[in-house]
Amino acid sequence: MKINIKALITICLAAVIIVIGCKKQEYTFGKIVTPKDLTLSTVIEGADAANPAGAGSGNVTIKTSAIGAISYKIDFGDGNTKIVSEGELVHKYTNPGTSDYTIVVSAIGTGGVTTTTTQKITVFVAFEIPAAIMQNLTNGSSQTWVIDRKTPGHVGVGPLDTYTSTYYSAQPDERAECLYDDEITFTKDGSSINMTINNKGQSFFTAAATAFYGKSGGDNCYDLDVTGVKKLAFMDATSGSTSANSTRIQFTVPGNGLIAFGTGGTTYELMELTATNITVRSIGIDGLAWYQKFKLKP
C-alpha cells in the first residue's frame, strides 16, 4: 500500500493545532482580598449644637476607608450613587427641609468582593426663596403689612379643590376690629425671611380653631401672646394649584402658625404677591381652604 507521507503530515499537524486550540485557557486574578476595618464618617456643613442638621447648604463631607479596598461605591440615600477610588468627597443634598438619609458604603476589593457599612444622617436644606418673593415681601430689608380690610374677600373660605373663597368672602370692615389692627412684618435675614406680629394683645379665631390655640368658645377675639421672631420655612407649594392662580410658593410658620386670622393652619401658600398686595391660602383645622388678603401698612 502506498502511503502519502505529505498528506499524513498535514493531517497530524491539523490534529495538533486542534488539540492546542481546544485547550482551556486559564486566568488568574491573583489573591482575592476582602476589605476589612471599613470606617465611615460624615461632617454636615454648618452643623453645631443649635443646628445639628446643618446651616442649610446641604453639603456633607463623607470620609471612608478600609484595608484592602481598591474603590468605594457610595449610595448617598437620596437616589444618587457614585464609585470613587478614594474615600473622601463632598455630596450636596438638595431636598428642601430636614430629611433623613441612610448612606451605604461598599468597599470593593480584588475580584469584586465587598465589605459594607451604613450611617444615618439628618440634613437640613434651606429652600432658595425666589428673588421676586424676597423683594416683594421685605422690600430688600423689612416692611409691614395689614389686613386689606376694605377689599371684599379680605377673609374668605372655600373647598379644598378650588382656589377661591366660594363659600364666604368678607365684605369691607365686616370682621372684628381685633383682626384689623394686626401688623405683620417680614424681614430679610440673609437668604431667609423672619416674621414678627403685633396683634395688640388679641387675635381672632374661628370657632373650630379655638382649642388649637388653647382657648374655648366661638368665633371671637382672644388674648394671645404672639411676640417673638419666627423664621419662616419656604418651599414649593404642595397643593394642586398652578402658575395661573398661584406663585406656587408656600411657607410654614413655626409654633401655632398664626398670622392674623386664626383657623389652625400653619402653612400658607402665596396665591398672589405684588409689591403692594398679598393673598395667602391655608388649610384650617376644619379641613377648609381659608384666604387672607393683606396690603402694605400705610
Side-chain angles (χ1 to χ4, degrees), residues 220-262:
N220 212 334
C221 297
Y222 295 88
D223 293 341
L224 188 70
D225 182 3
V226 294
T227 57
V229 177
K230 299 172 178 62
K231 186 174 183 178
L232 305 180
F234 282 77
M235 65 203 76
D236 291 320
T238 55
S239 74
S241 62
T242 68
S243 58
N245 55 24
S246 170
T247 68
R248 296 291 298 138
I249 299 295
Q250 66 186 32
F251 61 86
T252 298
V253 179
N256 61 27
L258 182 74
I259 292 185
F261 191 82

Side-chain angles (χ1 to χ4, degrees), residues 80-288:
N80 294 298
T81 60
K82 191 172 186 179
I83 295 178
V84 296
S85 58
E86 296 181 354
E88 181 173 346
L89 76 166
V90 176
H91 181 68
K92 184 177 182 64
Y93 291 88
T94 59
N95 184 43
T98 302
S99 304
D100 293 331
Y101 303 97
T102 298
I103 299 173
V104 180
V105 172
S106 297
I108 305 171
T110 56
V113 293
T114 62
T115 300
T116 301
T117 189
T118 65
Q119 182 177 329
K120 183 178 179 180
I121 60 173
T122 300
V123 182
F124 167 64
V125 177
F127 179 80
E128 186 174 350
I129 302 172
I133 300 292
M134 178 71 78
Q135 177 62 30
N136 286 335
L137 280 179
T138 71
N139 195 30
S141 57
S142 182
Q143 58 185 3
T144 300
W145 302 77
V146 295
I147 289 284
D148 192 2
R149 62 189 298 169
K150 298 296 184 182
T151 298
H154 56 272
V155 170
V157 64
L160 287 180
D161 58 353
T162 69
Y163 298 91
T164 56
S165 53
T166 53
Y167 289 165
Y168 164 76
S169 292
Q171 295 305 304
D173 297 323
E174 182 181 350
R175 308 303 307 187
E177 193 62 29
C178 74
L179 173 66
Y180 297 136
D181 65 6
D182 284 17
E183 297 180 356
I184 298 91
T185 301
F186 295 101
T187 302
K188 185 178 185 294
D189 180 19
S191 59
S192 302
I193 296 177
N194 295 331
M195 183 185 75
T196 56
I197 298 175
N198 181 2
N199 69 346
K200 312 301 192 295
Q202 286 195 326
S203 292
F204 188 92
F205 310 147
T206 63
T210 53
F212 179 80
Y213 300 105
K215 309 293 181 180
S216 61
D219 290 6
N220 212 334
C221 297
Y222 295 88
D223 293 341
L224 188 70
D225 182 3
V226 294
T227 57
V229 177
K230 299 172 178 62
K231 186 174 183 178
L232 305 180
F234 282 77
M235 65 203 76
D236 291 320
T238 55
S239 74
S241 62
T242 68
S243 58
N245 55 24
S246 170
T247 68
R248 296 291 298 138
I249 299 295
Q250 66 186 32
F251 61 86
T252 298
V253 179
N256 61 27
L258 182 74
I259 292 185
F261 191 82
T263 67
T266 60
T267 298
Y268 298 81
E269 182 173 351
L270 290 162
M271 307 306 293
E272 178 188 17
L273 176 61
T274 68
T276 57
N277 295 95
I278 305 172
T279 300
V280 296
R281 178 183 189 263
S282 63
I283 307 305
I285 203 166
D286 53 10
L288 298 175

